[in-house]
Amino acid sequence: MLIRVRSKDGNFRFELAPEADVTQLFQKILETAENPDEQSFTISNQPRGNEVQLLTLKGRSLKSLGLNHGDLVFVQYKTKQSGTSTVSEPTADVPSASSSLGGSAKRPWETVQEDAVDVYWRSQDGKIPRQKDAQFCKHGPKGMCDYCMPLEPYDAGYHASNGIKHLSYHAYLRKLTPKTSSDAAAALPPLNPLDYRVKVPCPTGNHPSWPAGICTGCQPSAITLQSQPFRMVDHLEIASQDIIERFLQAWRRTGLQRFGWMIGHYEPYDKVPMGIKAVVEAIHEPPQEGELDGLTLGLPWEDEKRVRELASQSSKPLTIVGYIFTDLDPMEEDRTKNVYKRHPQSFLMSSLEAIFAATVQRANPTPSKSSPTGQFSSRLVTAILTATEDGLVDVAAYQVSEQASAMVEADMIEASVDPAIVRVKEEDRSADSARYVPDVFFSYKNEYGLEVKKSAKPAFPVEYLMINVTHGFPSNPSPIFQSTKFPIENRPGLEDQTVENVLSQLSSLGAPDIVESTKAKPGEAHKTLELAKWLSDWHLVAFLGTTQLLSPDDMKVLIRIVSSPTLLEDPSQLDPLLATDGWQTLMTFARESAPRAAPPSSAMDDDIPEDILRQIAAEEAASRGPETPAIKTCPHCTFENDASRSDCDVCGLPL
């Protein structure tokens, strides 16, 4: 078959067999190159991007790489400096083409460990089943025709009829690389992360690097903003409404906005072909300064590594699936309702929020076997708690596009005073902050319904960077963590996490007296159940990890047990935790901090006969009249509790 090659040396055609090894193509390319560095050769099916080191393709046939008769490939390489060895004179430092191709170097996408949900979808065909059409299907029950055969997961008609705007990530992959042959999986990765930065140094090597020089070989192409056809996450699911209520409690008590990282995992989503949903199990709040109309947040987040490691040790490994913040403003005339300020006629996501989302997404890429770099886009979701048209509080979920992340990385855009507008920065050739800004365009329909392309300089609507994500709560909640009552981190003066509070709670639950299930006395199972539910709290576990009361190994046991989905069905799962040295130390402190027993009654009362004491008590009760239940107001959240309680029924803090 004929393979066309384009390089800086010109255009060439080579006759090769489909089963020929890529090394044969490489040898022919070397014959056309002038003083090349064979280690630098890259090959791509595009003029810019998707480059793969050619030497890593040793052992692959041209057919297995997806190359067909007449295909055009683009080759780039660096020229050796004078004095260095040539291809025909290999040295110890620069191996020859044959020795390099004989190596067993793994390509980046082959060593990637994808998320469990990606592994699942790669094992499925993703086809959309259809029932037999009573009107058009004329075959038997075991037959199949065009009217009832399964549809591909990227079928446009199905998406349009079901109101699905974006393809799921794996449906998009299936569209790019349909499984038509056994060699499809061996083809070059179809996804290429966008990069709008100037290539430094220039691949041609013909001029000084930017900003001293620039050419068509190193400058980014013009950008046309368009709706991204796919989304990395199709749905955001909050495992329990209590998670949102506890997060909102800080705003309700102070009026200051709050921010939190959403801890959770990814699962298949059956409402979209080959869909993925992010399930939020907890919200961890980093240090922040809330304000009435915004907040100040420190990045990078210093505790992120510890929190990620702790979450990954859960019974079902968890990670950071996104972040959530409030944007609520009570109405002056009715403080129980909030101002409806985010809507299509105003803005849904401000330009500042979109740029922040792009920054965070770029810093948290998704491992992918479908990208030459082993990473592609991001699954981090932005969730906003804002007001509905009725003044109530609801969740809005978004992501930003790959174009948004690439433009932020290239320092091309900035926020505007108008929240619905994004500004394009000016080009800057200074040595300290060199910035190249290519032409940027966006399309829209004018008043005549015609598609019009317009320059995005100096500004364009933020909606061109946004991707909508649906959200909701499960109909049958089954959260990993069973409690949300422990004080939340980084709420100084509002909710304080202290070791004394932990020890007091353990004491009141009778934890020091709870033993392993094999040694427990009859009738004590309810105590173990109460302890298990109290321990199954993300904020408690995260706090205990900072106290050094439990060793790292004991913390692994704790997080694995308290996140078990069957913990409340079988509290005996606590047995391994109760046997750890860290737990025994914790119980020793709990016993020592327990309140002393009340002093015995006076000797004078002992001399009075019991029937006389009962008569006196009855007369005192009659004189007081009907009793009303005593109320004890929580000093933390002002909730009115029964006076018999030792801790608040809402926030869990001691009364």
Side-chain angles (χ1 to χ4, degrees):
M1 64 180 181
L2 180 69
I3 299 297
R4 297 180 296 153
V5 175
R6 179 176 297 171
S7 70
K8 61 184 178 181
D9 299 302
N11 296 323
F12 305 93
R13 297 183 179 186
F14 303 118
E15 284 283 351
L16 296 163
E19 293 76 19
D21 192 280
V22 71
T23 56
Q24 297 181 34
L25 175 62
F26 185 41
Q27 292 293 346
K28 290 182 176 293
I29 294 173
L30 286 176
E31 294 173 1
T32 67
E34 182 179 350
N35 193 27
D37 177 2
E38 65 271 16
Q39 300 294 316
S40 66
F41 272 85
T42 63
I43 187 170
S44 174
N45 59 352
Q46 303 173 12
R48 293 179 56 83
N50 211 20
E51 294 93 351
V52 176
Q53 289 292 328
L54 205 153
L55 294 180
T56 64
L57 301 177
K58 157 58 172 163
R60 309 297 288 274
S61 69
L62 300 179
K63 182 180 178 182
S64 71
L65 294 176
L67 295 177
N68 299 308
H69 177 71
D71 280 356
L72 173 65
V73 295
F74 299 86
V75 172
Q76 296 181 5
Y77 68 90
K78 295 180 180 178
T79 303
K80 287 183 179 180
Q81 301 296 326
S82 58
T84 59
S85 59
T86 64
V87 177
S88 58
E89 299 175 349
T91 65
D93 295 329
V94 184
S96 66
S98 58
S99 64
S100 297
L101 289 168
S104 58
K106 288 285 187 180
R107 293 166 293 184
W109 65 89
E110 294 180 329
T111 59
V112 166
Q113 181 61 47
E114 292 187 312
D115 191 274
V117 72
D118 295 306
V119 175
Y120 170 79
W121 279 125
R122 288 189 185 276
S123 67
Q124 307 296 312
D125 63 13
K127 300 236 180 196
I128 305 169
R130 290 192 293 174
Q131 298 297 323
K132 182 179 177 181
D133 192 296
Q135 182 178 359
F136 297 104
C137 293
K138 306 301 181 183
H139 51 75
K142 294 185 178 180
M144 185 180 294
C145 67
D146 289 343
Y147 296 104
C148 62
M149 67 184 300
L151 299 173
E152 292 291 346
Y154 49 83
D155 185 80
Y158 178 86
H159 282 72
S161 61
N162 288 272
I164 303 173
K165 185 177 179 181
H166 297 88
L167 292 175
S168 67
Y169 170 63
H170 282 277
Y172 181 66
L173 281 179
R174 193 63 53 85
K175 183 177 181 179
L176 294 178
T177 55
K179 291 188 175 180
T180 55
S181 69
S182 58
D183 292 330
L188 293 174
L191 300 177
N192 185 46
L194 295 177
D195 191 346
Y196 295 146
R197 296 171 297 180
V198 177
K199 291 185 177 181
V200 177
C202 178
T204 66
N206 295 330
H207 61 79
S209 297
W210 167 263
I214 195 169
C215 71
T216 56
C218 59
Q219 72 181 22
S221 304
I223 302 169
T224 300
L225 299 173
Q226 53 191 349
S227 176
Q228 185 166 293
F230 68 94
R231 55 188 176 188
M232 299 298 292
V233 173
D234 303 284
H235 185 74
L236 177 68
E237 180 177 285
I238 313 296
S240 167
Q241 290 193 7
D242 291 341
I243 298 172
I244 295 296
E245 286 301 318
R246 282 291 281 126
F247 180 67
L248 272 174
Q249 200 171 74
W251 170 79
R252 286 184 172 132
R253 290 170 58 184
T254 64
L256 305 179
Q257 310 302 331
R258 294 296 294 178
F259 177 98
W261 295 102
M262 298 189 292
I263 310 293
H265 53 92
Y266 299 103
E267 292 182 0
Y269 181 55
D270 58 4
K271 300 294 191 299
V272 173
M274 304 189 83
I276 294 175
K277 65 179 178 181
V279 182
V280 179
E281 300 287 354
I283 298 176
H284 193 96
E285 300 180 21
Q288 58 194 278
E289 290 292 335
E291 301 174 14
L292 292 176
D293 59 350
L295 55 89
T296 303
L297 187 69
L299 286 179
W301 173 30
E302 294 182 358
D303 209 23
E304 179 178 0
K305 182 179 179 181
R306 182 187 72 86
V307 170
R308 281 186 180 274
E309 183 177 359
L310 180 64
S312 68
Q313 296 165 357
S314 172
S315 61
K316 187 169 194 174
L318 305 177
T319 186
I320 296 177
V321 299
Y323 60 90
I324 186 170
F325 62 90
T326 61
D327 183 24
L328 296 165
D329 185 12
M331 295 181 179
E332 293 184 3
E333 61 274 14
D334 185 356
R335 305 295 291 180
T336 63
K337 295 185 177 182
N338 296 281
V339 178
Y340 180 49
K341 54 185 175 181
R342 291 177 184 258
H343 50 80
Q345 287 69 44
S346 174
F347 71 98
L348 300 175
M349 190 181 197
S350 75
S351 55
L352 182 62
E353 293 161 357
I355 290 173
F356 178 80
T359 303
V360 176
Q361 286 182 201
R362 202 67 166 183
N364 293 271
T366 300
S368 175
K369 293 182 179 295
S370 298
S371 169
T373 63
Q375 298 175 333
F376 183 74
S377 194
S378 175
R379 287 212 173 102
L380 253 64
V381 179
T382 299
I384 307 171
L385 285 172
T386 186
T388 65
E389 191 171 359
D390 299 329
L392 305 179
V393 179
D394 194 13
V395 180
Y398 306 99
Q399 285 193 300
V400 293
S401 65
E402 266 289 278
Q403 286 187 320
S405 296
M407 292 177 79
V408 168
E409 187 174 42
D411 192 29
M412 292 171 51
I413 56 177
E414 61 186 353
S416 169
V417 175
D418 184 345
I421 296 297
V422 180
R423 285 185 53 83
V424 177
K425 292 185 176 181
E426 297 290 337
E427 186 173 307
D428 184 358
R429 287 179 174 265
S430 61
D432 295 334
S433 58
R435 179 194 311 118
Y436 178 79
V437 181
D439 291 331
V440 183
F441 303 94
F442 68 94
S443 299
Y444 69 98
K445 287 188 178 181
N446 62 14
E447 62 271 22
Y448 305 107
L450 300 176
E451 196 80 15
V452 178
K453 181 179 284 190
K454 181 181 177 180
S455 174
K457 296 180 180 180
F460 62 91
V462 70
E463 64 193 51
Y464 282 85
L465 307 181
M466 295 171 52
I467 302 171
N468 292 331
V469 177
T470 62
H471 70 278
F473 297 90
S475 54
N476 297 306
S478 56
I480 285 180
F481 300 104
Q482 304 298 321
S483 174
T484 57
K485 293 185 176 181
F486 192 75
I488 294 179
E489 59 283 339
N490 296 309
R491 292 185 175 182
L494 194 62
E495 298 182 26
D496 294 318
Q497 294 180 330
T498 63
V499 174
E500 291 75 14
N501 186 14
V502 174
L503 298 177
S504 173
Q505 290 288 324
L506 288 170
S507 237
S508 64
L509 290 168
D513 301 323
I514 295 177
V515 295
E516 298 172 41
S517 57
T518 56
K519 303 176 184 178
K521 297 178 182 178
E524 292 187 346
H526 70 283
K527 291 185 178 180
T528 307
L529 181 62
E530 289 179 5
L531 176 62
K533 184 174 182 179
W534 183 76
L535 285 173
S536 185
D537 189 315
W538 165 260
H539 304 288
L540 170 63
V541 176
F543 171 67
L544 287 174
T546 66
T547 62
Q548 298 184 343
L549 292 172
L550 299 177
S551 68
D553 290 338
D554 292 345
M555 284 299 302
K556 291 180 181 179
V557 175
L558 173 63
I559 183 67
R560 176 177 54 82
I561 290 175
V562 303
S563 61
S564 169
T566 59
L567 177 61
L568 299 189
E569 299 173 10
D570 181 18
S572 64
Q573 295 180 58
L574 282 180
D575 288 355
L577 174 64
L578 301 181
T580 61
D581 293 338
W583 181 261
Q584 297 301 325
T585 302
L586 198 60
M587 292 306 98
T588 300
F589 289 137
R591 291 189 191 96
E592 294 177 353
S593 64
R596 301 296 179 184
S601 57
S602 63
M604 182 180 296
D605 291 341
D606 294 340
D607 296 334
I608 303 176
E610 186 175 349
D611 58 336
I612 300 298
L613 290 174
R614 285 198 300 269
Q615 182 180 355
I616 294 173
E619 291 176 354
E620 290 178 351
S623 65
R624 289 195 300 267
E627 290 188 0
T628 57
I631 298 297
K632 188 183 295 184
T633 301
C634 176
H636 307 283
C637 69
T638 69
F639 183 82
E640 293 184 347
N641 296 266
D642 188 280
S644 62
R645 292 189 61 85
S646 61
D647 60 298
C648 179
D649 190 50
V650 173
C651 66
L653 297 175
L655 297 172

